[in-house]
Amino acid sequence: MRQRRLRCVVSFHTTAGAMAAERLCRKEGLEGKLISVPRSVTSDCGLAWSAPPELRESLEALLGSAGVETAGFHELLV
């Protein structure tokens, strides 16, 4: 069984927002990946960005400055 670990999970209102976040993070070299939204998170789209929790502030700043609308930032064991 896979070890669960604490992650910063960013949820989005739209799939386009999730895809834009992935592009931005890859371009900036920020670690993370798109995942299915965990059951404990309510989201309008089925995708979320999962990253190490120490990147939360960087993600908030990057996505905010790029105008990518998020539904929320969550710290979860995934």
Side-chain angles (χ1 to χ4, degrees), residues 15-74:
T15 301
M19 302 299 280
E22 179 184 37
R23 270 191 310 277
L24 279 169
C25 290
R26 297 265 183 251
K27 180 180 172 187
E28 295 296 319
L30 294 178
E31 181 185 344
K33 66 179 181 174
L34 282 178
I35 62 169
S36 298
V37 175
R39 290 183 187 150
S40 60
V41 175
T42 302
S43 176
D44 295 332
C45 108
L47 296 173
W49 184 254
S50 173
E54 58 270 11
L55 292 180
R56 181 178 180 147
E57 288 181 15
S58 299
L59 288 169
E60 288 176 347
L62 176 66
L63 298 177
S65 68
V68 176
E69 189 176 345
T70 60
F73 288 80
H74 317 273

